Structures are given as structure tokens and as C-alpha cells.
């Protein structure tokens, strides 16, 4: 359970976020959400927990179309096509949902982020949120992370373009930097950006206007002809409730026998109480990212000491994390290792420093 919000005076606000402008600062509200260290680690943990309970996880497989009982799928690495058979199908493909279910009206909203060195903001110990001028309910945040990074985000703009690789534009960078600088004693500049990334939110279509005005609620659509359920909208933070509702729709169908949903009580892989996590004999950074599995990473390092070393200058990720990703997290490519299992690749200089070591680990690891 996280503590409730509280207020702090100006002195404590500046201690937590030294780059804040002190002019007119009377204090701040301190809140405790946003505690996920890395959203990529959360998604991997969810998939691995599902696998531990009997799910089969396939990566690099594109669903070409849904059929009466299943889907036609193409392996994007081998080019092989095959059919997956299923009595019930859930289409939870985000911004691609409409490709498989024409009735699903999805509006992509782009969220752009930029990364700046933590030193430029005085190595903050808390996130800073700044209201976007002239817009109701919109904020830009500066969120401190690991490896001396602070992430500044996020935009919320209607997106038209390739869904596979939304880009961060110069306009996005300027907008984010200028908005967050409103709260800083020394404004940031675009030249101080060391990394950037963008993603797409699958919002349920509504009335014309700003995507910021569209609801973040989810919607479930049923296709009785193909026995498929399409799930659109929602947010990462509501993933479990969305999944429960979708599966409840299936269990309510005639002939389906199932007990009540148990995911509210099931812990994700690596989860433990705070006291248990504090007792793990591993570096705090690994415990924050891997929980109880941090000790398994160190065991890999015990067998091969070079795996305990950093991947390169300025990179906090160690080789054991990549070996673990290949052996236990279905990592198949360098992009998987550097972008989707770790976040090394978000900063180009760190990606360049790590790519040689990552290639060696990927080539040497036999699964």
C-alpha cells in the first residue's frame, strides 16, 4: 500500500527537485504513484506470469486475419504462415485492432517523450508535473529514472502515419522542453536531449476534437460470427481489470465452465513484500528491476564473471541481464535486448556503447 498524498514546504520541494524555480514557490503536493521502474519490465513480467500458469507466448507473429475458431498467423522472422486454433479469441492488439475487427473504431494518439541528463535537473528525487497552459487536465512531467536519466513527457496528439514506428518530431521536442521549463529555474534546451521515444495510445473513437478529450475507458466488442472479442481503449494501468472483464465475457458463454477470476490475488513473477526484497543479496538496481529473480541474474554472473560487468561506458545494464533475457524472456534480436527487455537503446550513445557486447551475448547464448 502506497502512502497517501501529502504536502511539503518550499524547502523540501527544492530538496526533492533542485531545478525547480523558487520564485513564488510556496510548497508542493507529494504523491506516490508512478512507482513502476520500467514499463517494459512490467510487460515482460505479465507475460512470464501468464506462461507460468499455462499460457503459450509467441513473439514476432503477426495475426493476418481472424477466422471462425482462431486466426491465420505469419511468423515475421521465418516467413512461415500457420493457423492457430482456439474456441474463443480475444483481439487485444491496440492501435491495430481495427485491422482485424472493422467495427472497432480506434483513434491513435501519439505520446512523445524526451530524455535529458539528470544532472541538468540537479539529480531530482521526485517527479515534477507541470500543467499544460490553456488545456484542461493535461500535464507534462519530468520523471527521474535509472542511469542518470530524466524522462520528460508526454504529448497527446492525434496521429496519422505508420503505426509500427511513430517518430518524435522537432516540434514534439520543443513543446515538451518549453512546457517543463516553465517550472525550472534554468530552462532546458533541445540541445540537452540525449534520447527520445514515442508510442501510440489506442483510444476509442469519439466526437471530433483533441485526443486529450477522448476517454481512456476501454470498450469490449463481440463478433458472434467468429466468436471473437475485441478489446480497445484503456491504459496500461488498467490492464488487469480489462483482461478480467474480457475473459468474464467468455466464461459467461454457453458451455464454458470456469471458476471466478484469480488474477487480483496472483503475484507477478519476481514480486515479494518490501521486507523480502530488502533481504535479497543483490544490487538494489537489480532488485528494483527483477525482484526476487535478481539472485538468478547473479548466479549467471557467478558462472561467467564477465556477465557481471557493465555493457559499456556510461551503461548501468550488465551482461547477465541480456543473458537472462535470451534464456528466460524470449529475446531473439538485438532490438529485443537493448530496447524491449532493457532500455539501453533509448539513449543513442549508450546503445552504441553496448551493442558489441550485446551481439556477443546473443550469439553465444543457446536456448
Amino acid at each position: 500500500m502506497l502512502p497517501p498524498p501529502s504536502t511539503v514546504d518550499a524547502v523540501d520541494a527544492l530538496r526533492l527537485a533542485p531545478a525547480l524555480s523558487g520564485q513564488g514557490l510556496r510548497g508542493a503536493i507529494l504523491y506516490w504513484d508512478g512507482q513502476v521502474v520500467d514499463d517494459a519490465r512490467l510487460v515482460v513480467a505479465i507475460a512470464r506470469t501468464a506462461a507460468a500458469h499455462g499460457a503459450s507466448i509467441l513473439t514476432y507473429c503477426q495475426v493476418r486475419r481472424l477466422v471462425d475458431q482462431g486466426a491465420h498467423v505469419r511468423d515475421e522472422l521465418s516467413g512461415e504462415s500457420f493457423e492457430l486454433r482456439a474456441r474463443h479469441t480475444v483481439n487485444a492488439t491496440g492501435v491495430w485492432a481495427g485491422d482485424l475487427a472493422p467495427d472497432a473504431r480506434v483513434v491513435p494518439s501519439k505520446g512523445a517523450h524526451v530524455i535529458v541528463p539528470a544532472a541538468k535537473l540537479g539529480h531530482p528525487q521526485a517527479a515534477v508535473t507541470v500543467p499544460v497552459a490553456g488545456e484542461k487536465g493535461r500535464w507534462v512531467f519530468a520523471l527521474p529514472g535509472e542511469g542518470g536519466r530524466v524522462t520528460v513527457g508526454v504529448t497527446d496528439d492525434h496521429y496519422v502515419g505508420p503505426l509500427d514506428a511513430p517518430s518524435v518530431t522537432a516540434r514534439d521536442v520543443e513543446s515538451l522542453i518549453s512546457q517543463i521549463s516553465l517550472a525550472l529555474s534554468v530552462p532546458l534546451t533541445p540541445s540537452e536531449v540525449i534520447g527520445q521515444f514515442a508510442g501510440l495510445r489506442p483510444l476509442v473513437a469519439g466526437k471530433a476534437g483533441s485526443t486529450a478529450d477522448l476517454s481512456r475507458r476501454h470498450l469490449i466488442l463481440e463478433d458472434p460470427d467468429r466468436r471473437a472479442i475485441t478489446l480497445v481503449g484503456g491504459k496500461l494501468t488498467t490492464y488487469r481489470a480489462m483482461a478480467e472483464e474480457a475473459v468474464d465475457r467468455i466464461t459467461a458463454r454457453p458451455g464454458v465452465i470456469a471458476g471466478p477470476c484469480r488474477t487480483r490475488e496472483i503475484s507477478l513473477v519476481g514480486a515479494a513484500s518490501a521486507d523480502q526484497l530488502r533481504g535479497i543479496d543483490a544490487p538494489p538496481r537489480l532488485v528494483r528491476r527483477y525482484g526476487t529473480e535478481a539472485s538468478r541474474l547473479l548466479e549467471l554472473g557467478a558462472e561467467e564473471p564477465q556477465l557481471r560487468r557493465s555493457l559499456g561506458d556510461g551503461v548501468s545494464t550488465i551482461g547477465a541481464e541480456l543473458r537472462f533475457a535470451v534464456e528466460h524472456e524470449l529475446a531473439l534480436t538485438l532490438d529485443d535486448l537493448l530496447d524491449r527487455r532493457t532500455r539501453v537503446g533509448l539513449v543513442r550513445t549508450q546503445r552504441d556503447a553496448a551493442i558489441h557486447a550485446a551481439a556477443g551475448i546473443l550469439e553465444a547464448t543457446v536456448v
Side-chain angles (χ1 to χ4, degrees):
M1 183 69 69
L2 296 176
S6 60
T7 58
V8 296
D9 60 22
V11 173
D12 279 339
L14 288 170
R15 176 180 58 82
L16 294 168
L20 279 177
S21 172
Q23 184 175 0
L25 181 65
R26 293 180 294 174
I29 298 174
L30 185 65
Y31 56 94
W32 296 90
D33 58 351
Q35 295 293 309
V36 174
V37 172
D38 183 338
D39 55 349
R41 298 301 322 153
L42 173 61
V43 172
V44 170
I46 294 168
R48 294 184 63 227
T49 304
H53 288 268
S56 296
I57 309 295
L58 301 179
T59 59
Y60 288 98
C61 288
Q62 182 187 58
V63 175
R64 309 303 291 269
R65 69 180 187 277
L66 300 178
V67 294
D68 180 31
Q69 290 197 345
H72 286 292
V73 179
R74 182 177 186 272
D75 185 328
E76 294 297 295
L77 295 182
S78 69
E80 177 187 357
S81 295
F82 56 96
E83 189 170 293
L84 289 176
R85 305 296 295 170
R87 289 189 293 272
H88 308 275
T89 303
V90 177
N91 169 24
T93 53
V95 291
W96 294 272
D99 295 343
L100 301 174
D103 291 340
R105 298 179 59 236
V106 179
V107 175
S109 167
K110 188 179 78 170
H113 307 71
V114 298
I115 301 171
V116 297
K120 295 294 182 180
L121 297 176
H123 297 283
Q125 302 174 53
V128 173
T129 55
V130 179
V132 176
E135 297 195 37
K136 182 180 179 180
R138 280 199 59 195
W139 304 78
V140 169
F141 58 78
L143 180 66
E146 296 181 333
R149 304 175 179 183
V150 171
T151 299
V152 179
V154 56
T155 61
D156 192 340
D157 301 306
H158 178 68
Y159 177 79
V160 177
L163 298 179
D164 290 337
S167 62
V168 179
T169 66
R171 180 181 176 184
D172 294 329
V173 174
E174 178 61 36
S175 174
L176 291 170
I177 291 300
S178 62
Q179 289 289 341
I180 200 66
S181 292
L182 294 175
L184 305 179
S185 57
V186 178
L188 293 171
T189 65
S191 64
E192 292 166 322
V193 171
I194 59 174
Q196 56 192 35
F197 62 99
L200 298 177
R201 308 175 187 90
L203 304 182
V204 178
K207 63 181 180 180
S210 169
T211 55
D213 296 329
L214 293 180
S215 172
R216 267 51 176 172
R217 293 183 180 274
H218 63 276
L219 181 66
I220 295 178
L221 305 172
E222 296 202 46
D223 183 344
D225 294 334
R226 291 178 292 184
R227 298 181 61 79
I229 285 179
T230 294
L231 181 62
V232 293
K235 302 183 292 184
L236 177 62
T237 50
T238 60
Y239 80 88
R240 195 210 62 80
M242 293 164 61
E244 179 180 356
E245 186 175 337
V247 175
D248 282 350
R249 290 283 191 100
I250 293 174
T251 60
R253 290 174 171 176
V256 177
I257 300 175
C261 179
R262 298 185 295 122
T263 56
R264 190 184 295 271
E265 288 77 37
I266 292 176
S267 296
L268 297 181
V269 168
S273 70
D275 287 342
Q276 290 173 308
L277 293 176
R278 281 192 289 267
I280 295 175
D281 185 17
R285 189 190 74 84
L286 293 181
V287 175
R288 287 193 298 270
R289 296 180 63 82
Y290 296 90
T292 59
E293 294 194 310
S295 56
R296 297 181 65 183
L297 270 79
L298 294 184
E299 289 173 4
L300 294 174
E303 299 169 3
E304 300 180 52
Q306 71 273 18
L307 293 179
R308 291 199 177 195
R309 293 199 292 265
S310 163
L311 296 174
D313 292 340
V315 180
S316 57
T317 303
I318 62 174
E321 294 179 73
L322 303 194
R323 173 65 63 82
F324 189 81
V326 176
E327 293 184 350
H328 301 287
E329 298 178 346
L330 295 179
L332 300 174
T333 67
L334 285 174
D335 288 347
D336 284 346
L337 292 178
L338 298 178
D339 302 329
R340 304 187 185 100
R341 303 302 185 275
T342 69
R343 292 303 205 190
V344 175
L346 294 182
V347 176
R348 173 56 60 180
T349 56
Q350 294 185 11
R351 192 180 215 281
D352 292 344
I355 196 165
H356 178 72
I361 291 171
L362 185 62
E363 182 179 358
T365 304
V366 178
V367 181

